[in-house]
């Protein structure tokens, strides 16, 4: 291999870094503690050439104080849908990147790879508290709508109604709430 060529791992690191920079995270870090970055293994032959890397937060998760908020039970959510006739589902892709890590705690998310030393400013999904914190964040946004015509589960929002006319109003209300929260 010539000096100007990159190995597949280096290319993947660069690609991941560029993608992360586009999302405004991770940022360069000078933390003394770091987490390992590991390639993910895939069974599917189609994904052999698109290995992604994940940050191993097992060490940090071992001593982390767990957030007491629990995820909603599916059985309780299904009970609400008994009378519903019309449904819409919204998937908030990458919305977990809206949850800012408490200032001063960014060092805990520091990781290193071949390209350097970085930290996240937003909640990475490898942390054990990430799904719970994000669920609490989403439930706070929709607290007045949940159990009326909205069910949330992490980054999924189910809007349900008994009639099509009501459903249009409900969907508009949910989208308006999302737009209002996005602008603040």
């Amino acid at each position: 291999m010539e000096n100007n060529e990159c190995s597949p791992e280096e290319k993947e690191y660069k690609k991941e870094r560029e993608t992360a920079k586009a999302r405004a995270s991770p940022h360069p870090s000078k933390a003394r503690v770091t987490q390992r970055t590991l390639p993910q293994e895939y069974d599917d032959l189609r994904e052999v050439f698109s290995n992604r890397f994940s940050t191993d937060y097992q060490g940090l998760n071992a001593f982390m104080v767990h957030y007491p908020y629990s995820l909603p039970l599916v059985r309780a959510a299904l009970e609400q849908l008994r009378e519903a006739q019309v449904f819409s589902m919204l998937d908030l892709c990458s919305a977990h990147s809206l949850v800012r890590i408490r200032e001063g705690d960014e060092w805990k998310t520091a990781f290193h790879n071949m390209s350097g030393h970085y930290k996240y400013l937003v909640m990475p999904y490898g942390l054990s508290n990430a799904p719970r914190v994000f669920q609490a964040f989403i439930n706070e946004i929709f607290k007045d709508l949940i159990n009326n015509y909205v069910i949330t589960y992490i980054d999924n929002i189910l809007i349900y109604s008994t009639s099509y006319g009501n459903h249009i109003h409900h969907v508009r209300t949910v989208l308006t709430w999302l737009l209002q929260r996005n602008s603040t």
Side-chain angles (χ1 to χ4, degrees):
M1 190 181 301
E2 294 179 22
N3 290 341
N4 59 355
E5 287 186 38
C6 293
S7 69
E9 291 84 11
E10 290 172 323
K11 287 179 183 176
E12 186 61 31
Y13 274 121
K14 287 180 181 179
K15 187 173 114 184
E16 289 285 325
R17 194 172 96 193
E18 293 305 315
T19 302
K21 280 183 180 179
R23 290 186 315 220
S25 84
H27 293 284
S29 173
K30 293 182 181 176
R32 294 181 183 172
V33 178
T34 65
Q35 313 302 324
R36 294 181 302 163
T37 307
L38 305 169
Q40 293 178 351
E41 298 294 327
Y42 290 104
D43 295 329
D44 191 349
L45 190 57
R46 292 173 290 175
E47 299 182 15
V48 169
F49 297 106
S50 64
N51 283 344
R52 297 186 146 277
F53 291 85
S54 63
T55 306
D56 180 13
Y57 287 111
Q58 289 180 10
L60 180 60
N61 287 336
F63 71 87
M64 185 178 290
V65 176
H66 292 286
Y67 190 64
Y69 192 89
S70 62
L71 296 175
L73 298 174
V74 174
R75 178 172 281 161
L78 291 176
E79 189 66 31
Q80 298 173 41
L81 303 176
R82 188 178 298 198
E83 304 291 322
Q85 299 290 319
V86 185
F87 304 91
S88 291
M89 182 74 140
L90 301 176
D91 186 1
L92 305 176
C93 300
S94 300
H96 64 275
S97 65
L98 299 174
V99 180
R100 175 76 163 86
I101 292 177
R102 182 175 37 210
E103 202 162 326
D105 283 348
E106 298 93 347
W107 66 271
K108 295 176 184 176
T109 67
F111 65 94
H112 63 277
N113 60 29
M114 295 168 22
S115 302
H117 195 111
Y118 301 95
K119 64 182 175 184
Y120 286 100
L121 299 181
V122 296
M123 183 79 64
Y125 245 61
L127 297 175
S128 62
N129 281 337
R132 293 173 178 168
V133 169
F134 185 70
Q135 183 69 52
F137 174 72
I138 290 296
N139 284 356
E140 181 62 28
I141 291 173
F142 293 107
K143 65 184 174 190
D144 296 334
L145 306 180
I146 291 176
N147 298 330
N148 291 328
Y149 51 86
V150 170
I151 296 174
T152 62
Y153 190 80
I154 305 183
D155 64 348
N156 297 307
I157 301 169
L158 177 66
I159 307 164
Y160 59 94
S161 308
T162 55
S163 70
Y164 185 73
N166 285 342
H167 193 68
I168 292 171
H169 172 69
H170 294 162
V171 170
R172 284 185 177 150
T173 303
V174 169
L175 293 175
T176 301
W177 281 54
L178 283 171
L179 287 172
Q180 288 173 349
R181 299 316 182 271
N182 191 31
S183 63
T184 57

